[in-house]
């Protein structure tokens, strides 16, 4: 009997001991073993920003902003507070309730949006703190029974967005960007225009990094043990183009393209003393934020593409003849009644010349026959070197990508006995120039014969506010100052009494030259469309600006440069006076 009682006691004791061991095991697993806690030391990246492109008067033509992604873990939401969570998140984020509800039904972490704006992101971070304070988020156990700490909203940078507040203004000069993937971020990189050419200046140098202990809202607690590495944004690029002037020039071109049956009209304004471009516009612009298929032809910058210039090249050839002292402008010249044979080709004049023409009249009235005859006075080497001296068949150095350098005949071609190259080039055929080359070359006539480097960029502004000026090539002499003065006088006469009368502006000193050239047909020869142009200067007693206008692809009744481009030149010159860049003679007199 006693033995049986002892056995029962031992059995009870064994059972109690087993339960105690199980109890200790549970305590060990739940309390003693370390729980799966998220790390208390975290790192956060402060993504560096691409620089902005600014006008001369500090308006943003292109700027970057951070985009944020918003996400959360549905299982972290207290089921009793889901409606409260949905209502507040819709208010703060602008995301529809239906989208939020759908995200809450997912079994794991979900991202609601990748394109949250900086302002909305800041508000959501404030909301996150409130939701944590109201215990909307809770701990839960995963499928393995391990506890997961409560985690609030995740609001992190997803990439960069490039904004163009003025849409198509100064396009395609400003250019556009393309999106590239850098790790988990989507960032813009320059593809054309200033965006492309100044990529190394605009792009950010390095992201900032902060590392340290976090609080419950996953904010890093700043302290002596936290590590902060500063971010370095890209430089801003400030252009020398004022917003109001550019807008008005574009308006003038928009009116012109509506008036004439043409493909495109471009215009530019250059300070010939320092090379600063203060306006560069086209009628064919696009919004870089939403480039469409029909915009593709306009992505190229026409101002640096080559074309046959027609008679606007005549002042360059004429200047070479003066420089070599091969002509006297007041001497008479026989123009063969407006017909001249060169090899198998017949050169004709489109204008009625004076009864007893002088060499000066050749330029004033734009005689093709006269220019052909005069060009024969230059040797092949002199012709070639002279055009190169004016910057033709060379890059101008303009701060735009994909600049063409044009084409001129070789010394051998200029020296051929047939003289066909000399003849053709003397009135603007068999030579290809760019708008920018001619704008620069005409600047030599009012800058003592010196060529400057045209540039759109005025300065670079570092993130710390310091200003840096880009390095430019030194001016180089194309012709002597005496020849330049003589050409300036002749070009003024072209406007006063020659083919450029449509460019005349009362109260300003204006000089320049018209040009009209047939466009080569794809099937060979020349078709019935034309490029009409006018290049020249407008000045007062103190300031001078070079203005160039080219109307591409004109047809119908109005295609001469004197009909299409010279009136546009006049309007731009008047605009310069209206905005204070130049003073009318009466304004200057009143100021005294």
């Amino acid at each position: 009997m006693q033995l049986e009682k002892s056995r029962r006691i031992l059995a009870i004791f064994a059972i109690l001991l087993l339960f105690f061991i199980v109890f200790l095991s549970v305590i060990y697993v739940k309390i003693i073993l370390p729980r799966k806690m998220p790390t208390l030391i975290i790192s956060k990246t402060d993504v560096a920003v691409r620089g902005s492109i600014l006008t001369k008067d500090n308006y943003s033509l292109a700027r970057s902003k951070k985009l944020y992604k918003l996400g959360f873990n549905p299982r972290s939401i207290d089921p009793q507070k889901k409606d409260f969570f949905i209502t507040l998140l819709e208010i703060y984020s602008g995301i529809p309730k239906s989208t939020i509800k759908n995200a809450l039904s997912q079994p794991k972490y979900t991202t609601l949006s990748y394109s949250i704006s900086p302002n909305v992101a800041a508000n959501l971070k404030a909301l996150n703190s409130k939701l944590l304070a109201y215990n909307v988020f809770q701990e839960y156990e995963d499928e393995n029974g391990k506890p997961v700490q409560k985690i609030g909203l995740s609001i992190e940078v997803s990439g960069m967005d490039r904004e163009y507040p003025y849409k198509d203004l100064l396009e395609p000069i400003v250019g556009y960007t393309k999106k590239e993937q850098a790790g988990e971020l989507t960032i813009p990189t320059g593809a054309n225009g200033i965006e492309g050419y100044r990529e190394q200046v605009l792009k950010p140098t390095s992201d900032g990094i902060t590392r340290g202990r976090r609080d419950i809202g996953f904010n890093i607690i700043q302290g002596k043990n936290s590590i902060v590495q500063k971010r370095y944004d890209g430089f801003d690029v400030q252009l020398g183009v004022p917003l109001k002037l550019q807008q008005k020039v574009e308006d003038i071109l928009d009116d012109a393209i509506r008036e004439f049956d043409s493909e495109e009209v471009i215009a530019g304004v250059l300070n010939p003393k320092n090379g600063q471009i203060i306006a560069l516009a086209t009628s064919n612009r696009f919004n870089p934020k939403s480039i469409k298929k029909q915009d593709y032809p306009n992505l190229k910058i026409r101002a640096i593409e080559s074309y046959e210039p027609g008679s606007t090249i005549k002042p360059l050839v004429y200047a070479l003849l003066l420089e070599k002292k091969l002509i006297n402008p007041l001497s008479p010249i026989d123009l063969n009644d407006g017909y001249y044979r060169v090899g198998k080709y017949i050169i004709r004049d489109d204008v009625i010349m004076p009864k007893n023409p002088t060499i000066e009249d050749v330029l004033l009235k734009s005689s093709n026959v006269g220019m052909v005859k005069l060009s024969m006075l230059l040797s092949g080497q002199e012709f070639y070197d002279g055009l190169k001296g004016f910057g033709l068949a060379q890059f101008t150095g303009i701060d735009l990508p994909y600049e063409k350098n044009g084409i001129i005949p070789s010394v051998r071609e200029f020296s051929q006995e047939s003289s066909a190259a000399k003849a053709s080039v003397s009135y603007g055929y068999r030579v290809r120039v760019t708008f920018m080359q001619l704008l620069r070359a005409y600047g030599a006539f009012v800058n003592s014969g010196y060529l400057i480097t045209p540039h759109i960029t005025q300065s670079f502004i570092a993130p710390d506010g310091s200003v840096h000026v880009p390095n430019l090539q030194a001016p180089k002499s194309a012709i002597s100052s005496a020849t330049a003065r003589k050409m300036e006088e002749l070009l003024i006469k072209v406007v006063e009494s020659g083919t450029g009368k449509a460019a005349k502006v009362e109260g300003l000193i204006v000089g320049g030259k018209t040009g009209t050239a047939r466009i080569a047909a794809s099937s060979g020869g020349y078709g019935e469309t034309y490029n009409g142009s006018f290049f020249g200067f407008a000045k007062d007693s103190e300031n001078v600006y070079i203005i160039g206008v080219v109307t591409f692809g004109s047809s119908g009744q109005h295609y001469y440069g004197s009909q299409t481009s010279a009136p546009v030149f006049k309007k731009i010159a008047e605009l310069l006076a209206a905005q204070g860049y130049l003073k009318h003679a009466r304004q200057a007199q009143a100021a005294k």
Side-chain angles (χ1 to χ4, degrees):
M1 189 73 179
Q2 186 66 31
L3 182 59
E4 184 65 25
K5 185 178 180 180
S6 297
R7 287 176 178 173
R8 286 179 181 177
I9 292 173
L10 285 172
I12 293 170
F13 179 77
I15 292 170
L16 290 174
L17 181 61
L18 179 62
F19 274 112
F20 184 69
I21 291 171
V22 171
F23 173 75
L24 288 178
S25 298
V26 171
I27 294 297
Y28 180 76
V29 169
K30 290 289 187 180
I31 298 177
I32 305 302
L33 282 179
R35 302 176 63 166
K36 186 180 180 182
M37 296 283 288
T39 179
L40 296 177
I41 305 296
I42 61 171
S43 294
K44 286 198 172 184
T45 300
D46 185 8
V47 180
V49 179
R50 183 179 180 83
S52 298
I53 299 175
L54 310 171
T55 64
K56 182 180 176 65
D57 35 5
N58 292 310
Y59 290 96
S60 291
L61 297 174
R63 65 191 180 197
S64 290
K65 72 174 183 180
K66 293 179 181 178
L67 293 179
Y68 292 79
K69 58 183 178 181
L70 168 64
F72 63 88
N73 188 338
R75 296 183 66 183
S76 290
I77 309 298
D78 185 342
Q80 302 300 318
K81 298 176 180 178
K82 278 188 178 182
D83 290 340
F84 178 65
F85 173 79
I86 292 170
T87 300
L88 286 182
L89 190 56
E90 181 194 32
I91 293 170
Y92 277 76
S93 69
I95 297 173
K97 282 186 178 181
S98 58
T99 303
I100 301 172
K101 287 181 178 179
N102 181 62
L104 280 169
S105 66
Q106 303 301 314
K108 56 184 180 180
Y109 181 91
T110 183
T111 300
L112 276 176
S113 174
Y114 287 91
S115 56
I116 300 293
S117 71
N119 288 340
V120 173
N123 292 335
L124 286 170
K125 288 177 181 179
L127 172 64
N128 189 47
S129 297
K130 294 177 182 179
L131 295 176
L132 287 166
Y134 284 107
N135 292 316
V136 172
F137 302 105
Q138 63 179 7
E139 296 182 5
Y140 69 92
E141 290 187 352
D142 64 16
E143 295 77 4
N144 299 317
K146 293 182 179 180
V148 177
Q149 296 295 306
K150 62 180 178 180
I151 301 173
L153 297 173
S154 173
I155 306 144
E156 301 293 339
V157 175
S158 63
M160 291 289 171
D161 185 35
R162 196 67 168 166
E163 296 181 319
Y164 297 89
Y166 292 91
K167 298 181 180 178
D168 67 352
L169 186 76
L170 199 56
E171 290 296 348
I173 307 305
V174 169
Y176 55 95
T177 58
K178 58 184 179 180
K179 293 181 179 181
E180 291 190 355
Q181 202 68 25
E184 296 183 356
L185 301 180
T186 301
I187 60 171
T189 59
N192 204 350
I194 295 294
E195 291 273 34
Y197 190 88
R198 298 297 187 190
E199 172 64 19
Q200 297 305 311
V201 176
L202 289 163
K203 75 176 186 179
T205 302
S206 61
D207 296 336
I209 297 175
T210 304
R211 182 175 175 80
R213 294 178 65 84
R214 68 166 181 85
D215 61 18
I216 193 171
F218 275 76
N219 300 302
I220 294 178
I221 302 168
Q222 299 292 337
K224 63 180 182 179
N225 294 322
S226 59
I227 299 171
V228 178
Q229 179 179 309
K230 185 180 177 181
R231 87 179 195 206
Y232 289 93
D233 293 338
F235 282 47
D236 291 340
V237 174
Q238 184 157 39
L239 310 182
V241 179
L243 179 74
K244 187 177 179 182
L245 178 64
Q246 179 69 23
Q247 286 177 323
K248 291 295 184 181
V249 171
E250 290 182 1
D251 289 344
I252 291 170
L253 300 193
D254 291 345
D255 290 340
I257 198 72
R258 283 191 290 267
E259 182 178 354
F260 303 114
D261 183 16
S262 307
E263 294 175 4
E264 183 176 6
V265 185
I266 67 172
V269 183
L270 169 75
N271 184 330
K273 304 298 183 181
N274 60 19
Q276 182 66 65
I277 290 173
I278 63 171
L280 188 56
T282 174
S283 59
N284 297 7
R285 303 182 298 278
F286 59 88
N287 184 348
K289 194 67 177 173
S290 57
I291 297 174
K292 301 177 176 60
K293 188 175 182 179
Q294 59 263 33
D295 295 323
Y296 290 173
N298 303 327
L299 299 183
K300 285 186 177 181
I301 301 170
R302 200 70 177 264
I304 53 175
E305 296 289 324
S306 67
Y307 67 101
E308 288 184 311
S311 294
T312 48
I313 204 172
K314 289 176 180 177
L316 278 62
V317 179
Y318 200 96
L320 298 180
L321 292 161
L322 286 175
E323 184 75 1
K324 298 295 181 181
K325 297 181 172 54
L326 296 174
I327 58 171
N328 178 353
L330 300 181
S331 296
I333 184 172
D334 181 6
L335 296 179
N336 300 78
D337 295 323
Y339 291 87
Y340 191 74
R341 179 179 290 276
V342 178
K344 61 181 181 179
Y345 300 102
I346 299 292
I347 311 300
R348 295 180 175 85
D349 275 335
D350 293 334
V351 295
I352 299 174
M353 297 298 292
K355 186 175 181 180
N356 298 304
T358 64
I359 290 176
E360 184 176 275
D361 290 324
V362 170
L363 188 63
L364 269 56
K365 301 298 183 180
S366 198
S367 168
N368 291 342
V369 170
M371 286 305 302
V372 170
K373 293 187 72 173
L374 293 176
S375 70
M376 301 306 164
L377 300 174
L378 290 164
S379 70
Q381 190 70 55
E382 287 173 333
F383 212 147
Y384 178 84
D385 290 343
L387 293 182
K388 293 280 282 190
F390 267 113
L392 303 193
Q394 300 173 70
F395 298 115
T396 66
I398 182 73
D399 45 342
L400 290 171
Y402 315 121
E403 180 187 13
K404 302 296 189 296
N405 60 355
I407 301 171
I408 62 173
S410 65
V411 174
R412 182 182 61 81
E413 290 172 306
F414 272 130
S415 303
Q416 287 174 348
E417 189 174 341
S418 68
S419 302
K422 285 183 184 178
S424 297
V425 172
S426 72
Y427 61 99
Y429 287 89
R430 201 171 165 179
V431 56
R432 296 187 69 85
V433 304
T434 70
F435 173 92
M436 197 56 60
Q437 286 173 339
L438 281 185
L439 200 68
R440 182 192 189 207
Y442 271 66
F445 300 141
V446 289
N447 190 36
S448 301
Y450 281 91
L451 294 177
I452 41 71
T453 301
H455 56 281
I456 303 165
T457 303
Q458 177 177 281
S459 61
F460 308 128
I461 305 173
D464 64 5
S466 59
V467 178
H468 306 263
V469 178
N471 293 323
L472 299 174
Q473 296 177 4
K476 67 175 186 177
S477 178
I479 51 177
S480 67
S481 59
T483 300
R485 282 194 300 273
K486 184 60 181 175
M487 288 304 303
E488 180 181 347
E489 294 169 3
L490 286 170
L491 291 174
I492 292 171
K493 287 184 178 181
V494 171
V495 173
E496 293 291 334
S497 59
T499 59
K501 292 177 183 178
K504 185 176 180 179
V505 179
E506 292 297 331
L508 295 179
I509 302 168
V510 175
K513 183 70 184 73
T514 55
T516 307
R518 278 187 173 184
I519 300 174
S522 57
S523 58
Y526 288 87
E528 294 301 319
T529 55
Y530 299 80
N531 293 332
S533 55
F534 191 95
F535 283 82
F537 55 85
K539 61 183 292 190
D540 58 19
S541 59
E542 297 179 1
N543 300 303
V544 59
Y545 292 96
I546 304 300
I547 305 170
V549 182
V550 180
T551 305
F552 291 100
S554 297
S555 58
Q557 294 182 332
H558 302 95
Y559 60 83
Y560 283 105
S562 59
Q563 296 172 310
T564 56
S565 293
V568 173
F569 176 102
K570 178 180 180 177
K571 289 179 181 179
I572 294 174
E574 289 173 335
L575 174 63
L576 291 176
Q579 294 198 1
Y581 296 92
L582 295 171
K583 290 183 180 179
H584 283 107
R586 60 180 180 272
Q587 292 175 316
Q589 189 64 34
K592 292 180 181 179

